[in-house]
Amino acid sequence: MQRWLLLMLLWVSWPLVASQQPTVLVMGDSLSAAYGIEQDAGWVSLLQTRLNGKAVIVNASISGETTSGGIARLPEQLRQHTPDIVLIELGGNDGLRGLPPSQMRNNLRSMIETSQAANAQVLLIGIDIPPNYGDAYRSAFTRTYNALADEYDLTLVPFLLEGVALEPELMQSDGIHPTAEAQPRLLETVWPALELLLENHRNSQAGDSPLPQATN
């Protein structure tokens, strides 16, 4: 009798436990898709390892993705995964192709609003580009992320490759993509902002356990 009672309690409580586990959707490009390295070495995979079952990570990043591609794919990703948090790491390929910063801004704005309409928190991850198209273009490009973060009161990671982009030994031969050795640094750049959003989610759920702490 006690065994059946225990099984019933576990069966009843399981949906509640599962519902408290947040889902994080990563909409990124090659920087989040582990381009040129083993998938398990990418910063998104390292994030999954760090969380150790405290969250479900869905990596919907595609190498070469632009903000236009992100808009096209986002609704279906939201429908399939109903994420609690959406990480938007896009724009780099728009900049490398010289696409208008205003177009990128409008595309990212649409992704933010679509995610928020699906009741997901948004973490915006910025990127910088080489000065190929001039300082004015580069400045307009990088300002986009700060402007959107201010407009929508978002948590912002200003530059994903902080501490990596100017270190040749941490970049692949193309000078654009980080090596496997650089991936832990990318995770450390994203982690404080993401941890804050995860804590916000945890605090809204009763009886959840603390998030794992970063280790050196």
Side-chain angles (χ1 to χ4, degrees):
M1 184 67 178
Q2 290 180 344
R3 180 183 178 187
W4 280 106
L5 180 59
L6 177 60
L7 289 174
M8 285 295 293
L9 288 172
L10 288 172
W11 181 79
V12 170
S13 64
W14 170 249
L16 177 60
V17 173
S19 70
Q20 294 171 351
Q21 185 185 52
T23 296
V24 178
L25 172 65
V26 183
M27 295 291 296
D29 51 31
S30 56
L31 299 178
S32 298
Y35 176 88
I37 60 176
E38 294 293 331
Q39 287 293 315
D40 290 347
W43 76 265
V44 179
S45 293
L46 298 180
L47 172 63
Q48 180 75 80
T49 300
R50 173 173 291 184
L51 287 169
N52 192 28
K54 294 293 183 181
V56 174
I57 306 298
V58 178
N59 192 359
S61 302
I62 296 178
S63 293
E65 185 73 293
T66 62
T67 55
S68 295
I71 287 177
R73 293 193 301 116
L74 180 60
E76 179 61 18
Q77 294 295 325
L78 294 173
R79 187 194 68 79
Q80 285 187 21
H81 305 293
T82 58
D84 300 285
I85 300 170
V86 177
L87 274 62
I88 302 177
E89 181 273 300
L90 289 171
N93 288 306
D94 296 59
L96 291 175
R97 298 178 187 185
L99 300 177
S102 59
Q103 175 182 310
M104 181 184 79
R105 181 175 62 251
N106 290 334
N107 289 343
L108 290 174
R109 179 180 285 117
S110 294
M111 293 188 70
I112 292 166
E113 292 180 354
T114 300
S115 299
Q116 291 179 337
N119 297 316
Q121 299 181 81
V122 174
L123 173 57
L124 187 60
I125 301 177
I127 193 67
D128 198 357
I129 55 172
N132 300 43
Y133 298 104
D135 290 338
Y137 180 90
R138 184 183 185 187
S139 179
F141 177 91
T142 54
R143 281 201 309 268
T144 295
Y145 296 102
N146 288 288
L148 289 172
D150 290 341
E151 180 179 352
Y152 291 96
D153 193 23
L154 302 178
T155 303
L156 171 68
V157 174
F159 184 33
L160 178 61
L161 299 183
E162 184 69 38
V164 171
L166 299 181
E167 302 294 335
E169 70 276 10
L170 295 178
M171 299 296 291
Q172 297 181 39
S173 58
D174 60 12
I176 296 174
H177 299 97
T179 63
E181 290 74 19
Q183 299 301 311
R185 292 199 186 187
L186 270 63
L187 175 57
E188 294 308 321
T189 297
V190 174
W191 176 252
L194 178 56
E195 184 182 30
L196 178 62
L197 295 183
L198 289 168
E199 286 289 350
N200 290 341
H201 181 272
R202 182 179 70 85
N203 290 337
S204 69
Q205 304 291 317
D208 202 1
S209 56
L211 287 169
Q213 298 298 307
T215 55
N216 295 324

